[in-house]
């Protein structure tokens, strides 16, 4: 079965420090993977997507993710956290049908 | 910028009552999705429409849930009767049609309707 596992339910970082949100996937074929962000009282927004082109994917707001087949991982990173990054982040598997991970809540410490 | 509209934003109801949620997708988006997001979890697909036809409703509890998209534009999701376990955020999303290839088209999400069943 195809699925994603988000390894941390909650991550806290100080403003200006790097962000790492971890995601592992399980798939019998080359997957399409995405990261979505959900701010309070707002709809889910696509941050970036991997569809078997470049393994390093750049998204909006300075986020990027690297697809590592050997590690079955698709971790989300950002060099320097900003207060506005505080939100819930979802790693997502699929093409037309999306399968969401359980989410990681990112808290930014001033 | 075009957005997916949903109403109401919040709904409180008592168990055994009927509730309905409305979604207006981005103009021109043929594919419409309803998701349910239980607190602390990721969204789960309930039903997917292609124009006015249901493509996937395998996870829709059909004994109490119904969804329609009569003219292939806006859509309504209904629960009757509501149960305590239905308390959740109900999200609507839309996307362009992939032409039947099954390839990815970005889904655009509305702000959701938060349902509380007492």
């Amino acid at each position: 079965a195809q699925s994603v596992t988000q390894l941390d339910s909650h991550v806290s970082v100080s403003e200006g420090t790097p962000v790492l949100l971890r995601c592992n996937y399980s798939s019998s074929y080359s997957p399409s993977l995405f990261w979505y962000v959900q701010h309070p009282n707002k709809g889910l927004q696509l941050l970036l997507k991997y569809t078997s082109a470049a393994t390093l994917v750049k998204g909006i707001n300075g986020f990027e993710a690297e697809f590592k087949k050997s590690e079955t991982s698709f971790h989300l990173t950002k060099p320097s956290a900003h207060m506005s990054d505080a939100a819930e982040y979802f790693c997502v598997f699929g093409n037309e049908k999306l399968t969401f991970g359980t989410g990681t809540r990112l808290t930014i410490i001033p | 910028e075009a957005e997916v509209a949903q109403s109401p934003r919040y709904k409180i109801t008592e168990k055994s009552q009927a509730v309905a949620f409305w979604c207006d997708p981005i103009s021109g988006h043929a594919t419409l999705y309803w998701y349910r997001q239980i607190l602390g979890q990721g969204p789960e697909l309930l039903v997917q429409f292609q124009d006015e036809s249901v493509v996937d409703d395998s996870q829709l509890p059909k004994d109490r849930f119904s969804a329609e998209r009569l003219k292939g534009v806006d859509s309504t999701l209904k629960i009757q009767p509501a149960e305590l376990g239905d308390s959740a955020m109900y999200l609507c999303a839309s996307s362009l049609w992939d032409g039947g290839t099954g390839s990815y088209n970005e889904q655009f999400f509305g702000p959701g309707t938060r349902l509380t069943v007492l």
Side-chain angles (χ1 to χ4, degrees), chain A residues 6 9 32-34 36 38-51 88 90 92 94-103 105, chain B residues 9-10 31 33 35 37 40-45 48 50 55-56 58-59 89 91 97-98 101-112:
Chain A
Q6 292 185 245
S9 60
S32 293
L33 294 165
F34 316 90
Y36 275 80
Q38 186 175 34
H39 290 275
N41 299 317
K42 291 191 176 181
L44 285 153
Q45 182 183 20
L46 179 67
L47 274 178
L48 50 80
K49 61 183 179 183
Y50 166 77
T51 54
E88 188 88 15
F90 292 95
V92 184
N95 294 319
E96 189 175 348
K97 183 171 182 176
L98 302 183
T99 300
F100 285 76
T102 52
R105 180 166 297 279
Chain B
R9 293 292 305 276
Y10 304 91
T31 310
Y33 313 80
Y35 290 84
Q37 184 178 17
Q41 299 182 19
E44 293 182 299
L45 180 67
Q48 177 183 342
Q50 181 60 40
V55 173
D56 183 353
S58 56
Q59 300 303 310
M89 177 76 84
L91 298 167
W97 186 51
D98 66 0
T101 63
S103 61
Y104 177 73
N105 276 314
E106 180 179 350
Q107 294 186 24
F108 294 83
F109 286 81

Side-chain angles (χ1 to χ4, degrees), chain A residues 5-35:
Chain A
T5 301
Q6 292 185 245
L7 302 177
D8 307 292
S9 60
H10 191 194
V11 170
S12 293
V13 301
S14 296
E15 188 176 18
T17 65
V19 175
L20 170 63
L21 306 183
R22 299 182 295 165
C23 173
N24 285 351
Y25 70 90
S26 174
S27 177
S28 55
Y29 56 87
S30 184
S32 293
L33 294 165
F34 316 90
W35 278 96

